[in-house]
Amino acid sequence: MRQNKEFTVTSLKNGMIRISRRPVMPQSYLEKYGILHLPEAGPAEGVSLEENALVLPDSRRIAFEVRPEEDDRFWREEMAYQLRKFSDTIPMKVKIEGRPGDERLEAGEEADGWDSDRKFGISFFLDEDECFYGLGEAKRDGIQLRGGSYQNWAVYQFDEIVIPLVISSRNWGLFLCVQDRHFVDIDDHAKGRLTVLGNRDELDLIVLYGDSMKDIVRGYTQLTGKSMLLPRWAYGLTYVAPIHQNQFEILNDLMKFREKHIPCDNVSLEPGWMAKFYDYSFEKKWNLEKFHMDSWMRSREYPCTFPSVLRRFGFHMVLWLCMNYDLCDHEEGLAGGESRLRSWYDHVKPFVDDGADGFKLDPADMLMRIDSNRVCTNWETELAMHNISQVLVMKQMHEGFAEQMNRRPFIHYCGGYSGQQHWGAATTGDNGGLLGGMVWMQNLAMSGFMNTTVDMDIYCPEAIHFAMLAPWAHHNAWQGCSQPWYAGEENEKIYTDYARLRYRLLPYIYSAAIECSETGIPMIRPMPLAFQEDMECRELANQYMLGEFILLSAFTDRLYLPEGKWIDYWTGEEYTGPYLIDSYTPPEGKGGAMLIKKGAVIPQWRDRDYTTQYSDEEIALHFYPGGDTEYLFREDDGMSLDYRTQVSCRTLIRCQEREGNVLVSIGRREGGYENKPEKRVWKIFVHGYDGQVQTECEEEGTQVILENG
């Protein structure tokens, strides 16, 4: 579109405009390593550049100013401010293992300095009422970013999942195609502006625009990949066993889950499973004193091993890993270059053969430590590759497992950068399971990330409430006496009730997960994303939508209901929005509000102890009539990689109100998948309605049973 000595503006396609330092940018490592997929330049209809302002098709103007490198005053003031502000957020420095034999070269670049010969700055002028969201875990005390500065650099217990995407409430956003540490100032030091500063990169960003903030999220996931679909069982409950337990102690605990009918699908082993505690090497072995896995027993088919017994009772197994390895070498080999090191994933293949269905990756060295004076095998410093390495570990684990087993892995990690959502799941790390974790999950959702959770605090009803209804539920009992039956009778009952509720809701949760993998719109929908036109929602951080129809709140007695009718799931009380509840108190045994938006269709399962305990043949549909509404129920086999290349099996469900009657219409199941039930039994529950209910179904051989509301 335009080029001058400071910058180039290029149209990529409708919804994407690139602003870069030069007309043809060199291939970045994000592109080379398959994390970022930039479309070829193409026309953007109705977009023009007037002076230094992008004029969008609806006449919106996005004015900006590129800061020249010779503007010494700007750099002294702005960069110095950011470096001072974030001076305490530097990872420790340590050598990363796995280096080739030669020392290569010394970089001589310190982590807390900046290179005056390689920097960029750009400012965007803001409207007074404009709000901003995104940037991954940049903020833990709120979801609205205006008024703060943020460092996009993965640092343990500070900002572990760094997503360089910022979204404006005016339906535009910035995706920063940079890889090194950089800063985003949103009306903080530079008033009235959104300023991006980089100290080891060139200017390269994409302006995303559309008709809503959801369009910006979709655009980002088109560039970096939509959220992966986890195995369906991973959307159940994951239990992390105490770190020093042996196989019999863990099995005894798991049998208590079954005896007490606390649903659970996955057990995760901490580093005590390894012969060498915290083994970083390629020579990992089972701790035979705790887990009897001799060489002659090591097979998924051997009946009496620990993993085989787990599967027999409906459990999957995830193993903890730690690492400090040069992941760039493998990517260079994939890109056609020289590869000199073993693939990191190769050495964990035997444990997958033993029965591991996934891995938990520890942040200890990947997030905490950098050797700023050494280089990786691609000749870049470890400092420069730090952000990208957070994605590469997930990418290589994901692809290695998928190639080995031809099915979805369950890989999770608390670090990340651009594209992390495409390769696995995440926790909010060692940061607790209270309000800060809940806020981080929402900020990640505003950054295109779906599969998030927290370490559930089972001693806090509010924490159990939102953590059991997170995209995936995670009880980390690695230390102390943290099994649910040791939390006290009251907390154990709350924990059990919420776990059973989650499993009843799994068809709704999993359908929302499929929707995200197909559309890019996350399962958790913060209030400003779900109700963008409602100004009261712009800064709400204690409540959000789970999927299209369920509103959750925690850690507050103040509850705001947007326009529409809402039903309290616990009490049946009905509200008409917009409405503010100043002092909401959940019933005894509940940790927060759970409301259903009228018009909702909530598919549910029968009670179960694990996901595959019963067939998928029978689905209960819970209707909350509210005018004419539609719901698209999505399902698949829950395991294969087919979701990458084909759409899910879908059933269009309608609820219509006609002259005092309700008509429930169930369409055909469009699409197939392996082991799809030959017939379907739909049980219909209509809530909050006393009139006549009629049902119709387009698919022959399908049974529809009308139950009480």
Side-chain angles (χ1 to χ4, degrees), residues 449-466:
F449 205 123
M450 172 178 68
N451 295 309
T452 55
T453 195
V454 299
D455 285 357
M456 188 187 310
D457 185 336
I458 66 170
Y459 292 90
C460 174
E462 293 93 336
I464 296 172
H465 169 76
F466 91 88

Side-chain angles (χ1 to χ4, degrees), residues 9-239:
V9 178
T10 307
S11 168
L12 296 180
K13 55 184 279 190
N14 286 337
M16 297 181 187
I17 303 294
R18 188 178 192 180
I19 302 177
S20 57
R21 176 66 182 86
R22 26 183 168 165
V24 179
M25 292 291 290
Q27 186 184 48
S28 68
Y29 287 106
L30 290 169
E31 296 172 85
K32 183 177 182 180
Y33 294 165
I35 299 166
L36 172 62
H37 304 278
L38 291 174
E40 294 183 3
E45 298 175 3
V47 179
S48 60
L49 184 65
E50 297 179 2
E51 296 181 353
N52 281 9
L54 290 171
V55 182
L56 302 182
D58 59 0
S59 300
R60 279 178 293 159
R61 292 175 58 87
I62 302 176
F64 64 92
E65 178 184 10
V66 176
R67 297 293 188 168
E69 292 185 358
E70 57 268 21
D71 187 347
D72 289 338
R73 179 179 178 182
F74 171 82
W75 291 105
R76 283 198 304 271
E77 293 181 359
E78 297 298 327
M79 185 61 78
Y81 174 81
Q82 302 298 336
L83 290 173
R84 283 196 303 272
K85 183 167 186 174
F86 297 103
S87 61
D88 294 333
T89 59
I90 305 299
M92 294 182 289
K93 302 171 188 178
V94 71
K95 176 183 176 181
I96 289 182
E97 302 297 331
R99 198 66 58 228
D102 58 312
E103 292 296 326
R104 297 281 174 115
L105 54 86
E106 297 294 325
E109 186 176 34
E110 288 300 316
D112 53 355
W114 57 282
D115 183 353
S116 61
D117 295 326
R118 193 180 180 199
K119 58 184 183 291
F120 72 89
I122 184 170
S123 296
F124 291 81
F125 298 90
L126 308 182
D127 293 335
E128 288 186 5
D129 62 346
E130 207 166 359
C131 295
F132 291 87
Y133 308 93
L135 292 181
E137 293 177 343
K139 186 176 182 181
R140 71 175 72 192
D141 60 352
I143 61 174
Q144 208 284 107
L145 303 178
R146 187 163 184 167
S149 288
Y150 309 94
Q151 175 182 256
N152 281 351
W153 212 32
V155 179
Y156 180 64
Q157 291 195 323
F158 176 74
D159 186 358
E160 299 179 1
I161 301 179
V162 181
I163 309 295
L165 170 73
V166 59
I167 300 176
S168 163
S169 59
R170 291 298 182 90
N171 303 331
W172 66 280
L174 298 177
F175 170 56
L176 312 173
C177 307
V178 294
Q179 61 196 41
D180 213 321
R181 180 177 61 163
H182 56 281
F183 306 94
V184 180
D185 180 320
I186 309 178
D187 197 20
D188 177 23
H189 188 254
K191 296 300 181 182
R193 302 183 178 197
L194 188 163
T195 300
V196 183
L197 299 151
N199 58 330
R200 296 185 183 89
D201 268 310
E202 290 191 87
L203 174 66
D204 192 9
L205 58 85
I206 294 174
V207 177
L208 302 165
Y209 62 91
D211 297 325
S212 68
M213 290 196 291
K214 288 181 179 178
D215 286 340
I216 312 307
V217 175
R218 290 188 190 99
Y220 168 73
T221 59
Q222 289 173 14
L223 292 168
T224 61
K226 295 182 176 64
S227 286
M228 77 158 289
L229 193 58
L230 301 177
R232 188 175 59 182
W233 56 263
Y235 292 103
L237 174 62
T238 288
Y239 170 73

Side-chain angles (χ1 to χ4, degrees), residues 86 120 135 145 149 155 160 182 282 300 341 348 382 429 438 451 520 529 555 581 614 662 679 695:
F86 297 103
F120 72 89
L135 292 181
L145 303 178
S149 288
V155 179
E160 299 179 1
H182 56 281
F282 274 58
R300 277 184 177 260
L341 305 177
V348 302
E382 292 171 1
M438 180 175 164
N451 295 309
L529 188 69
F555 307 108
I581 303 174
Y614 305 113
V662 166
K679 61 178 182 177
T695 64

